[in-house]
Amino acid sequence: KPDKKPWKVLDVGCGSGDTLMALKELGWDVYGLEIDRNAIRLAKERGLVNIKLGGYEKIENFPNNYFDCIRLYHVIEHLPNPRNCLQLIHKKLKPGGEVVLGTPNAGSMVSKIFGKYWYNLDIPRHLFVFSPKTLSSIVEKAEFSQVSVSFCSGDGLGRSVIYTMSEILKKRIDTNKFTLLFFILYPIEWILDKLGIGDIMILRG
């Protein structure tokens, strides 16, 4: 935060509000959009009152120049028209406001190694997968400036290994049962992040 004033933040696809709860504790004025009614119920039970049902299109209901920050974490890859979403976000941000996008990196080392078995490819739920270059391009075309990209991967490597094994063995394997493997492989993902070829990228603009 560049100053001591409480920021106004919108989390699109906020789920049950984990991130908004953390920001609320920091004194931020928090808002959320979510398509899952049950998640909204849980968020409101936690005291998050400004959570609305709907997709990114509902951003239009807010005044222009309203938010200091709008966040979409693992959302933009699901949208049929990412550019339209970014243009709408740009209208709703205050001058100097920031968009934060977290999404799988199609240019990651894990995606190159595993190809069609890359866990974060996630067809057909993911309509688009971006590289840092392609994501930066559409963000800049939506009139954002000072775009930066960092990397913060989680368990994509381990889940890609398990997904590949399940395809070879022709047997469905529950990736959630391999938490220890994900911890063992995490140092490799950390190194890939530092090299700029991590599995999950975070764009700020």
Side-chain angles (χ1 to χ4, degrees):
K1 293 176 60 176
D3 53 48
K4 295 182 180 179
K5 296 178 182 178
W7 274 25
K8 192 185 299 289
V9 60
L10 172 66
D11 192 8
V12 180
C14 65
S16 57
D18 290 345
T19 298
L20 292 181
M21 285 297 295
L23 295 175
K24 183 179 178 182
E25 291 176 5
L26 291 174
W28 287 37
D29 187 10
V30 298
Y31 296 74
L33 287 173
E34 174 57 48
I35 60 173
D36 185 331
R37 292 179 184 274
N38 189 53
I40 293 174
R41 178 182 59 80
L42 294 172
K44 291 190 173 181
E45 288 176 358
R46 303 170 78 180
L48 296 170
V49 296
N50 294 318
I51 309 296
K52 304 295 183 184
L53 178 68
Y56 83 88
E57 298 88 354
K58 292 294 182 72
I59 299 174
E60 186 65 71
N61 295 338
F62 294 100
N64 291 347
N65 306 314
Y66 192 66
F67 293 106
D68 297 285
C69 178
I70 297 179
R71 176 182 186 266
L72 295 88
Y73 198 71
H74 289 282
V75 171
I76 195 165
E77 63 271 19
H78 296 274
L79 304 181
N81 195 333
R83 184 175 296 177
N84 181 63
C85 175
L86 289 166
Q87 291 170 340
L88 183 56
I89 287 172
H90 191 272
K91 285 170 48 181
K92 304 303 174 178
L93 284 170
K94 297 177 183 177
E98 181 178 62
V99 63
V100 179
L101 305 173
T103 189
N105 173 20
S108 72
M109 180 61 70
V110 176
S111 74
K112 294 181 185 302
I113 291 172
F114 289 93
K116 66 179 182 179
Y117 298 129
W118 175 41
Y119 179 80
N120 281 312
L121 187 59
D122 201 7
I123 295 171
R125 296 194 320 123
H126 289 177
L127 303 181
F128 293 91
V129 285
F130 301 93
S131 68
K133 182 177 180 179
T134 57
L135 186 60
S136 297
S137 176
I138 67 166
V139 170
E140 289 168 354
K141 286 177 180 177
E143 300 186 34
F144 288 92
S145 59
Q146 297 180 330
V147 173
S148 66
V149 177
S150 59
F151 300 87
C152 184
S153 302
D155 51 14
L157 174 57
R159 290 184 185 274
S160 295
V161 170
I162 301 304
Y163 185 55
T164 302
M165 288 176 56
S166 71
E167 290 295 315
I168 292 173
L169 298 173
K170 303 301 179 183
K171 180 181 178 181
R172 183 174 177 82
I173 302 175
D174 185 358
T175 59
N176 293 318
K177 294 181 178 179
F178 291 85
T179 304
L180 180 59
L181 174 65
F182 303 152
F183 277 108
I184 292 171
L185 294 177
Y186 178 73
I188 297 175
E189 295 206 84
W190 184 87
I191 292 170
L192 294 175
D193 285 342
K194 296 304 178 184
L195 293 174
I197 48 176
D199 213 33
I200 302 297
M201 57 181 166
I202 309 296
L203 181 145
R204 299 174 183 273

